[in-house]
Amino acid sequence: MSDFFAMGGYALFVWSAYGLCALVVLWNALSARTLHRAALADARRRLSSAAP
Amino acid sequence: MANFTWFYRLASPPTSYAAAGRLWLWFAVPAVLLIAVGLYGGLVSAPADYQQGDAFRIIYVHAPSAWLSLLGYSVLGVSAGIGLIWRMKLAHALAAAVAPIGASFTFLCLVTGSLWGRPMWGAYWAWDARLTSELILLFMYLGYLALRSSFDDVSRADRASAVLALVGLVNVPIIHFSVNWWNSLHQGSTVLRVGGPAMPASMLVPLLESFLGFTLLFAALSCVRLRAEILMRERRPTWLQDGLTVSASHE
Amino acid sequence: MTARQRRLAWVAAILSGVGLSALVAFKAFDQNLLYFVDPSQVVAGKAPQGKSFRIGGMVTKGSVVRLPGSLEVRFVITDFAHSVPIRYTGLLPDLFREGQGIIAHGRLQNGEFMADEVLAKHDEKYMPPEVAQSLKTAPQPSASLSTQPAQGQP
């Protein structure tokens, strides 16, 4: 098991790469959701202000 | 003239907004599964390389992110062109939607490549044709995003940034063929190669799973961002009344 | 010409204009885009004179000599037509070994290349150690280890 984490001496490089990949995927998921929610809220606001 | 009514119907904001809302989960679920299986395979089941040992496992995140950087820019450039020629809001919306995704994976590609280059080549960075053209791609994405943000009006931002997106499109084939056209430190393509992939199945299968998984993830993310971009372009959102009640029930 | 056709022409003009200028630029700067030159070009006098450049080739088997008590190493690189001796002091990358493609940065001095940086190049082939071992027993075409990009790729 510790062999697996050691990655043949390249642990720092391999795990940083995979860790960064996880961060980028996470940022993408969260920012897409945030963007859509903000756009929805904005559209709702526009819709209610346009209503008579 | 062929009948394009289906196309115009799809391109209409309410239809595409609803279609993207239905589609994204169909992409996201297999994406997460395939990425999990592919990266597990790359980290655990694939054997170490005869020369590079375990450092070669970086390929399972590096190569798919490189692919997404090129796919993202191709979608960006082509939809920007369609948006310009046919004045199609949906195409501009798609271009704006994929740009941040493509930029983030270009960044990931450059950093993971750097983390791979240091132990194998002996340098984090080299100004060879492949690395330099990929860096230019990142600048193209960032320039596109910066130009967009400098406009308050969405449709003016769409048209101005589309020209920049078109200009950057020439870089895409340059990146892909750079390793064949010039002497470079970076090696040639492993998968898309005359004579078939230069990898045994034990290494290749996780890589292909990862490629497919990340591509589906890109599609899912594009759908969600596209919905937001469609909403932003609707100044008189009369159709939103129905759409909003539907999405509100999802929240 | 309709407005749409005019816009189509604009897009085509942008694409071909940028594409053409890129092509011209690459033709003009072709030498500078080469990340490295090979020993044959050096022997033919095509390497930059009096300033530093990069040279690429394969480390000749049996040529690596490490000076005891220092980090100095001497070896010969070849492109199978010509060879250039290299002298370098410093840490070598993990992939540096005999028969491996390398790229060295430095300058020529009396026919010897004084390197201040040595990078290892690898090809696009990956395989488990057992497969590599069994391939070694069978004759391998040496071109597969060449530092040149494989010819005829898509």
Side-chain angles (χ1 to χ4, degrees):
Chain A
M1 199 61 188
S2 65
D3 267 5
F4 170 67
F5 286 110
M7 279 290 152
Y10 298 117
L12 179 67
F13 300 102
V14 175
W15 293 116
S16 319
Y18 278 76
L20 192 76
C21 175
L23 285 181
V24 167
V25 169
L26 200 68
W27 174 83
N28 266 302
L30 292 180
S31 67
R33 196 178 69 160
T34 311
L35 186 78
H36 183 228
R37 288 203 172 160
L40 259 182
D42 194 49
R44 267 200 201 103
R45 200 172 39 74
R46 253 181 285 141
L47 200 61
S48 57
S49 68
Chain B
M1 194 73 189
N3 187 357
F4 280 117
T5 45
W6 63 271
F7 183 72
Y8 287 111
R9 202 177 310 133
L10 183 70
S12 84
T15 316
S16 44
Y17 181 82
R22 275 193 305 271
L23 273 176
W24 80 269
L25 207 60
W26 287 97
F27 291 132
V29 172
V32 170
L33 290 176
L34 275 166
I35 291 173
V37 170
L39 294 191
Y40 176 83
L43 281 172
V44 182
S45 8
D49 180 57
Y50 75 115
Q51 277 200 318
Q52 306 188 30
D54 289 311
F56 115 95
R57 299 185 193 281
I58 295 176
I59 200 175
Y60 295 97
V61 291
H62 174 72
S65 58
W67 154 242
L68 286 197
S69 74
L70 294 182
L71 174 72
Y73 205 93
S74 307
V75 175
L76 169 63
V78 170
S79 26
I82 293 174
L84 270 187
I85 298 167
W86 283 280
R87 292 264 163 100
M88 201 174 138
K89 264 193 202 173
L90 181 67
H92 282 306
L94 182 62
V98 296
I101 311 170
S104 69
F105 281 100
T106 311
F107 170 75
L108 181 64
C109 169
L110 286 166
V111 178
T112 52
S114 183
L115 288 168
W116 192 1
R118 177 69 193 117
M120 290 300 106
W121 296 341
Y124 283 111
W125 184 259
W127 292 102
D128 89 333
R130 171 57 72 78
L131 277 67
T132 308
S133 54
E134 183 75 16
L135 184 64
I136 291 173
L137 183 73
L138 180 64
F139 292 154
M140 281 290 172
Y141 273 120
L142 296 181
Y144 176 86
L145 291 168
L147 184 62
R148 288 200 67 88
S149 65
S150 69
F151 288 92
D152 288 327
D153 179 52
V154 181
S155 59
R156 286 185 62 199
D158 280 344
R159 267 172 286 150
S161 60
V163 177
L164 187 66
L166 276 176
V167 171
L169 207 52
V170 255
N171 195 20
V172 171
I174 293 175
I175 295 173
H176 181 75
F177 293 110
S178 55
V179 287
N180 305 341
W181 290 344
W182 302 291
N183 284 345
S184 62
L185 178 61
H186 197 286
Q187 71 283 3
S189 312
T190 296
V191 180
L192 289 176
R193 177 174 171 278
V194 168
M199 245 185 186
S202 56
M203 292 171 161
L204 184 64
V205 171
L207 185 59
L208 294 180
E209 286 163 350
S210 182
F211 267 114
L212 189 60
F214 277 100
T215 309
L216 289 169
L217 177 72
F218 176 83
L221 291 168
S222 304
C223 282
V224 177
R225 280 185 168 272
L226 179 65
R227 299 187 91 199
E229 295 290 340
I230 291 171
L231 287 177
M232 284 177 212
R233 280 165 183 75
E234 281 303 293
R235 289 293 115 189
R236 305 188 58 194
T238 41
W239 59 271
L240 280 182
Q241 201 66 66
D242 317 322
L244 281 185
T245 44
V246 170
S247 5
S249 62
H250 278 297
E251 295 277 303
Chain C
M1 209 184 214
T2 66
R4 186 198 296 160
Q5 282 167 329
R6 204 162 51 239
R7 293 195 295 269
L8 182 67
W10 265 110
V11 167
I14 291 173
L15 279 180
S16 49
V18 176
L20 268 176
S21 33
L23 204 73
V24 171
F26 289 144
K27 273 266 171 277
F29 299 116
D30 214 21
Q31 274 306 310
N32 297 328
L33 278 166
L34 290 183
Y35 190 63
F36 59 88
V37 297
D38 46 40
S40 292
Q41 287 166 299
V42 172
V43 171
K46 283 186 186 143
Q49 300 296 317
K51 57 176 186 170
S52 50
F53 61 97
R54 286 191 178 80
I55 185 170
M58 205 166 107
V59 181
T60 307
K61 291 213 164 76
S63 72
V64 180
V65 179
R66 286 169 210 271
L67 270 74
S70 79
L71 284 172
E72 188 174 340
V73 57
R74 288 176 200 193
F75 55 94
V76 176
I77 64 164
T78 175
D79 58 1
F80 305 105
H82 295 94
S83 304
V84 170
I86 293 189
R87 198 188 286 208
Y88 173 70
T89 305
L91 292 170
L92 290 162
D94 290 4
L95 276 187
F96 180 90
R97 59 194 73 163
E98 292 177 356
Q100 183 75 32
I102 64 111
I103 296 171
H105 179 265
R107 56 179 74 223
L108 274 176
Q109 231 166 61
N110 307 324
E112 202 175 19
F113 193 84
M114 305 302 210
D116 49 42
E117 183 188 41
V118 172
L119 301 180
K121 198 174 145 56
H122 61 84
D123 62 14
E124 74 281 11
K125 298 189 179 75
Y126 304 90
M127 58 185 110
E130 313 87 73
V131 177
Q133 201 57 48
S134 62
L135 276 180
K136 232 175 222 170
T137 52
Q140 261 278 69
S142 54
S144 67
L145 280 168
S146 158
T147 56
Q148 294 288 335
Q151 295 300 307
Q153 280 191 9

